[in-house]
Amino acid sequence: MIEVKDVSKHYKRGETVITVLKNINLTITKGEFVSIMGPSGSGKSTLLYLMGGLDPVSGGKIKINGKDMTKLNDELESSMRRKEIGFIFQSYNLIENLTVEDNILLPVRLDGKKRKDIHNKLDKIIKAVGLEERRYHTPRELSGGQQQRTAIARALINDPCVLFADEPIGNLDSKTGKDILKLLQSINRERKITIVMVTHNLEATTYGSRIIHLKDGMICENYNSVNENT
């Protein structure tokens, strides 16, 4: 599903070169739920953005579902992000003046599809994330957990093969965070969607199947998660 080969990332600030990732090699198979951990500045979010095509690599290549992300032009890469990849962020990234339903439908509308064409799918996704009674509310009328559920539904609307989640419970209290992690776990198990999640929360990794630790831009540990939540 995901192949990362000899990937590096650096930035230039004037004459200074800042290296964030160093020759990362990683394979993630279909249906895995992988958690990426590491201290601040370890490069974990950068790696997630590179895999999702939100940031270009400085070296190496990344393949998603057999497609080399580093060789796609802007149009094809954008299309792939809409149709095959879902993103979930800590800050939800919802549009304040749109309802839950309209926020979920944004990726569909960018593809030129009409609401009536996916009405049944929309209903099923809203039910799956537990927002039936909130579908016509705007984000300002929702709790943090409800906003994240909306973001998850939006990420699912185009039936992606992989979800990239960057600190999805970072703005939530512990109980709500656990509910969101259980939802992601059920999506992974029932829909067989690959999930790659960046987190600093060790307990959050117990909902996944594998843990990858980054330090100083390199993978220092890579092992299966075994506990009561998996």
Side-chain angles (χ1 to χ4, degrees):
M1 176 57 67
I2 304 173
E3 181 184 358
V4 179
K5 187 172 178 61
D6 296 327
V7 164
S8 61
K9 181 65 180 180
H10 60 259
Y11 299 95
K12 275 193 173 183
R13 291 184 181 172
E15 297 299 318
T16 304
V17 176
I18 300 173
T19 300
V20 182
L21 294 171
K22 308 169 186 176
N23 298 322
I24 298 291
N25 287 280
L26 174 65
T27 299
I28 297 172
T29 58
K30 180 175 174 58
E32 278 197 279
F33 186 161
V34 176
S35 301
I36 301 177
M37 296 194 74
S40 179
S42 62
K44 55 187 184 295
S45 290
T46 299
L47 178 58
L48 191 82
Y49 296 156
L50 295 182
M51 288 191 287
L54 296 178
D55 200 9
V57 302
S58 300
K61 65 179 181 180
I62 296 175
K63 287 185 177 181
I64 304 286
N65 213 16
K67 298 176 183 177
D68 190 341
M69 299 290 287
T70 58
K71 292 184 178 179
L72 298 179
N73 60 36
D74 289 344
E75 183 178 352
L76 289 175
E77 187 177 68
S78 179
S79 176
M80 186 172 180
R81 283 198 299 267
R82 290 198 308 273
K83 297 176 181 178
E84 298 185 48
I85 298 171
F87 293 97
I88 305 163
F89 299 98
Q90 179 177 342
S91 57
Y92 322 130
N93 288 0
L94 302 177
I95 296 179
E96 287 295 322
N97 62 336
L98 295 183
T99 64
V100 164
E101 186 174 285
D102 286 332
N103 267 289
I104 295 170
L105 287 170
L106 277 174
V108 172
R109 292 188 168 179
L110 287 171
D111 268 344
K113 297 176 185 176
K114 297 180 180 178
R115 183 193 300 256
K116 64 179 182 180
D117 296 331
I118 62 158
H119 182 74
N120 290 337
K121 182 197 287 188
L122 177 64
D123 286 347
K124 289 178 181 177
I125 288 177
I126 287 177
K127 183 177 181 180
V129 299
L131 290 174
E132 300 101 311
E133 297 181 1
R134 295 286 182 173
R135 65 188 298 162
Y136 301 118
H137 291 236
T138 59
R140 63 176 62 91
E141 301 172 294
L142 305 177
S143 67
Q146 290 166 342
Q147 290 186 63
Q148 193 60 289
R149 288 174 182 272
T150 303
I152 292 170
R154 179 183 58 194
L156 292 173
I157 194 65
N158 272 335
D159 298 316
C161 61
V162 58
L163 289 179
F164 291 112
D166 188 14
E167 299 280 9
I169 63 169
N171 286 340
L172 305 175
D173 62 75
S174 59
K175 181 183 182 303
T176 304
K178 288 179 181 179
D179 290 340
I180 292 298
L181 290 168
K182 289 177 183 177
L183 175 59
L184 291 175
Q185 188 181 62
S186 69
I187 289 168
N188 170 250
R189 292 178 174 178
E190 295 169 14
R191 297 173 179 259
K192 309 303 180 186
I193 295 176
T194 305
I195 297 179
V196 183
M197 175 179 71
V198 162
T199 182
H200 68 276
N201 186 324
L202 185 59
E203 185 179 355
T205 67
T206 65
Y207 292 83
S209 55
R210 183 153 56 110
I211 303 170
I212 295 168
H213 279 267
L214 292 184
K215 185 177 180 180
D216 299 328
M218 297 182 289
I219 295 175
C220 60
E221 291 183 278
N222 185 347
Y223 56 93
N224 292 334
S225 174
V226 181
N227 49 64
E228 68 274 10
N229 287 318
T230 56

